[in-house]
Amino acid sequence: MTSPSGQPPLGIAHFTTIDVPPLDFVALAAKVGFSAVGLRLHPAFPGAPFYEIRPGSAQMRSIRSLLTQTGLRVYDIEFVVIDANFAADALIPMLESAAELGARRLSVCGDDPDHRRLVASFASLCDVAAGLGMGVDIENMPWRRVARIQDAAAIVGEADRPNGGILVDALHLSRGGGLPIDLRTIPSHFIRSAQLCDAVAERPTTFDEIIREARAGRRLPGEASLPLQDLLAELPADVTLSVEVPNQGLPPPDHAKAVFEAAMQVLAAHALAKPTPPRAPSARQARRE
């Protein structure tokens, strides 16, 4: 989780400052100090904000040029819901845009009540994404069918696609009833990505309250009670980290800077903490070794 400079690379999810369009978002992230961005190119739910970037367009060329100038990369594209009406082929235009941007992963959640069909849909999406050089990460969300981190692991395991993986979100892990130690039951090579944020210790009592917290009640990393140090200790060493803390009215540059500085303090504390027994190397690490 460390870069050649010794400072952990850190990305920022677009939902953190979703009102900032992609070109300005890349510029903002670079100025603050992030190493990567996620971009919202698909609506997470009906009416949710997202941005369309057409392949070969002037907007696409401007973003690619800025990425080159700043050294940033687009790590992931979000956010797709796999439900009963899902069709992987319908996402090809969006995935082609993602591939042109150099994105590595697509983030999804699962909300199909038919488990077998959900697994098949995830597998088909992995196949489509693989043709464009991308992988797919499924994220558990307590109000969806894939509610727990174990549910996400089951989908990845049953789909059995080499580019399939899990996105571990600190808030969703907690609100889905999970603890960092639960990651020990999941194969390391399933865990590709992780998002940091913080929240109060008490879990909301209804799904509506959980949704409101996820979309408008997250706190800066290290500012509240989620066990972020324990989570960092359990994540594979080659996981890709980002932060997702939706803005609640601050000027976007101020909010992005506050999120970055808070997350870096958490990562610095982890680096200075007493070493814990490392997880077994993931399949990706084993191949490199």
Side-chain angles (χ1 to χ4, degrees):
M1 276 188 276
T2 56
S3 67
S5 67
Q7 194 174 51
L10 185 67
I12 179 172
H14 206 164
F15 196 36
T16 300
T17 57
I18 192 60
D19 293 336
V20 180
L23 184 63
D24 294 335
F25 183 60
V26 171
L28 171 61
K31 184 175 181 180
V32 169
F34 290 101
S35 62
V37 297
L39 292 178
R40 181 69 65 90
L41 301 189
H42 194 269
F45 51 90
F50 74 102
Y51 298 89
E52 185 177 10
I53 307 173
R54 295 184 181 277
S57 65
Q59 183 186 23
M60 176 68 77
R61 292 193 295 273
S62 295
I63 294 173
R64 284 171 54 89
S65 176
L66 185 58
L67 290 168
T68 299
Q69 292 172 25
T70 60
L72 259 71
R73 62 187 177 118
V74 176
Y75 175 70
D76 67 321
I77 299 299
E78 53 181 28
F79 193 84
V80 171
V81 179
I82 301 178
D83 58 16
N85 300 312
F86 179 79
D89 288 350
L91 296 176
I92 289 176
M94 185 267 287
L95 289 172
E96 288 176 342
S97 294
E100 190 168 338
L101 289 165
R104 302 289 301 279
R105 313 292 299 176
L106 172 69
S107 299
V108 307
C109 67
D111 210 19
D112 187 341
D114 186 323
H115 179 81
R116 182 175 297 180
R117 184 172 59 199
L118 176 54
V119 172
S121 293
F122 181 79
S124 68
L125 180 55
C126 286
D127 292 342
V128 171
L132 293 165
M134 295 176 61
V136 182
D137 288 331
I138 189 164
E139 180 179 6
N140 74 290
M141 294 183 175
W143 63 93
R144 306 282 190 183
R145 293 287 177 166
V146 179
R148 306 173 306 140
I149 196 71
Q150 294 88 348
D151 301 331
I155 298 296
V156 174
E158 292 175 42
D160 193 24
R161 294 298 191 271
N163 63 331
I166 294 172
L167 167 59
V168 179
D169 180 289
L171 181 65
H172 295 325
L173 174 66
S174 170
R175 296 335 190 206
L179 295 170
I181 198 171
D182 294 335
L183 299 186
R184 296 184 185 183
T185 68
I186 297 172
S188 294
H189 66 278
F190 282 11
I191 303 172
R192 307 296 185 92
S193 314
Q195 288 181 331
L196 302 179
C197 68
D198 217 330
V200 297
E202 185 176 357
R203 182 183 188 270
T205 57
T206 69
F207 285 151
D208 285 345
E209 291 171 345
I210 289 174
I211 292 171
R212 279 196 295 272
E213 179 185 50
R215 295 175 182 170
R218 297 177 188 237
R219 305 277 289 276
L220 299 180
E223 189 177 80
S225 301
L226 294 185
L228 297 182
Q229 294 300 327
D230 292 341
L231 176 59
L232 290 169
E234 297 297 342
L235 290 170
D238 57 350
V239 74
T240 297
L241 290 174
S242 65
V243 287
E244 185 176 64
V245 184
N247 190 10
Q248 298 304 311
L250 287 176
D254 294 346
H255 178 64
K257 182 179 179 182
V259 170
F260 178 79
E261 291 177 348
M264 294 304 288
Q265 288 179 9
V266 169
L267 294 175
H270 172 66
L272 293 172
K274 181 179 179 180
T276 56
R279 286 188 59 138
S282 71
R284 299 190 299 283
Q285 291 173 292
R287 285 195 293 270
R288 288 198 295 266
E289 293 169 357

